[in-house]
Amino acid sequence: MGMTFDFSGQTVFVAGGTSGINLGVAQAFARAGARVAVLSRRQEKVDAAVEGLQGLGAEAAGFAADVRDYEAVEKALGAAHQRFGNFDVLVSGAAGNFPAKATGMSANAFKSVVEIDLLGTYHVLRAAHPLMKKPGGSIVNISAPQAFLPMNMQMHVCSAKAGVDMITRVGAMEWGREGLRVNSVVPGPIDDTEGMQRLAPTEAAREAVMDSVPMGRYGKASEIADCCMWLASPAAAYVTGAVIPVDGGWSLGGAQAMGQGFEQLAKPQ
Ligand code: COA
Ligand code: NAP
């Protein structure tokens, strides 16, 4: 069980909030009383997420859109705003990942990840900015250790997530005086997620990851949610432009070493 926060009467939008970590974040805000809207590509995932959020007693809405498509993002955010009012909290976490050498993927593969992670984050923040509560709104980008640790077979993700953290920092500078805060949360390896399934698919790889985390265990989506809720709470009223690892110490070095194990995961070209 996470910490206790109260977001009743507040509106939270989670881009990419239909599975894994981001869904855990959406559910935590729902449990804390917020109205929650989620967006992702696949209608069936959107419907399942909304049903689950409503099952927690929250008012919830979902939108099927690709973050690479600015007009679709703008339309979805507009519809959520019309229904739930200004966004108190925006979490942007849609992303894609696979292990591949820079020369072991096509130019289109690299572009796909940059378009989802980096351009998608810009699209979501750009379209959400006029709809955010100001002053008082909180934006959280979901980053990754790849943003600051060069990692084998992750050139696409490293470059995209480094850009995401720069969106966080420049956004914090440009929007600070409007009373809008922007921060990044950097998850460590989180249990039961698509991301870790792709990067550590075997039991041996799972154990190697655990060995590489100073705290010796995987994290939980609820632990990422706790940090997002803290950032959105008055307790973090003076925190902006921060990039905060929530990773059991993984980004102190272990995360980077993990990349060496990716060789065997590469798709034959
Ligand atoms: N190794 C090398 N290239 C790969 C790859 C892999 N494991 N997986 C996909 N690609 C390439 C494809 O071959 C394609 O390139 P091509 O057109 O030159 O053949 C390109 O990436 C785009 O793939 P496609 O499946 O057409 O794109 P998409 O837009 O449907 O999917 C991805 C985007 C590739 C990022 C996909 O993995 C995805 O949707 N991921 C979301 C879920 C996820 O990654 N979760 C973890 C969270 S970080
Ligand atoms: P996940 O379950 O695959 O979550 C990705 C979400 O984004 C899904 O809801 C997916 O739904 C959506 N999405 C993907 N591409 C999209 C697009 N083009 N447009 C709109 N939505 C899209 O993965 P996860 O592992 O929980 O990762 C969540 C976030 O945490 C990511 O930002 C990831 O980089 C970060 N992270 C994860 C870990 C980890 O341990 N898993 C570690 C560090 C950082 P659809 O398929 O329906 O689009």
Side-chain angles (χ1 to χ4, degrees), residues 16 18-19 21 40-42 45 66-67 93 161 190 193 195-196:
T18 63
S19 62
I21 294 173
S40 85
R41 288 168 302 176
R42 285 176 274 175
K45 279 183 74 172
D66 192 316
V67 292
K161 291 289 194 181
I190 304 300
T193 58
M196 288 318 292

Side-chain angles (χ1 to χ4, degrees), residues 63-257:
F63 304 89
D66 192 316
V67 292
R68 290 170 282 196
D69 177 349
Y70 183 69
E71 278 176 19
V73 168
E74 200 176 32
K75 202 170 142 203
L77 287 165
H81 179 259
Q82 201 157 30
R83 175 129 179 236
F84 290 155
N86 282 350
F87 307 143
D88 298 275
V89 183
L90 173 75
V91 179
S92 177
N97 193 4
F98 46 81
K101 288 275 193 201
T103 51
M105 68 180 130
S106 66
N108 189 52
F110 189 98
K111 182 178 167 192
S112 299
V113 169
V114 172
E115 279 192 340
I116 300 168
D117 295 24
L118 177 55
L119 206 55
T121 299
Y122 174 72
H123 286 164
V124 168
L125 267 63
R126 174 69 186 86
H129 177 268
L131 313 176
M132 294 292 302
K133 182 180 179 218
K134 297 192 237 23
S138 171
I139 296 174
V140 180
N141 290 325
I142 305 298
S143 183
Q146 286 91 325
F148 45 87
L149 297 176
M151 203 184 281
N152 187 36
M153 306 191 86
Q154 293 280 275
M155 188 190 278
H156 47 323
V157 174
C158 289
S159 9
K161 291 289 194 181
V164 167
D165 285 350
M166 277 301 169
I167 287 180
T168 292
R169 297 182 178 106
V170 178
M173 291 178 82
E174 294 194 359
W175 302 332
R177 282 184 170 71
E178 298 172 54
L180 191 54
R181 294 178 300 106
V182 192
N183 294 286
S184 282
V185 171
V186 182
I190 304 300
D191 231 348
D192 286 329
T193 58
E194 181 65 28
M196 288 318 292
Q197 187 52 38
R198 286 176 181 225
L199 300 183
T202 63
E203 194 45 44
R206 243 183 91 78
E207 273 168 34
V209 169
M210 275 192 275
D211 282 346
S212 72
V213 179
M215 289 187 73
R217 65 168 176 88
Y218 271 61
K220 298 178 275 200
S222 65
E223 291 171 320
I224 305 306
D226 280 341
C227 188
C228 294
M229 291 194 290
W230 171 72
L231 281 169
S233 79
Y238 201 47
V239 181
T240 196
V243 174
I244 306 176
V246 180
D247 69 350
W250 200 42
S251 59
L252 298 174
Q256 192 167 26

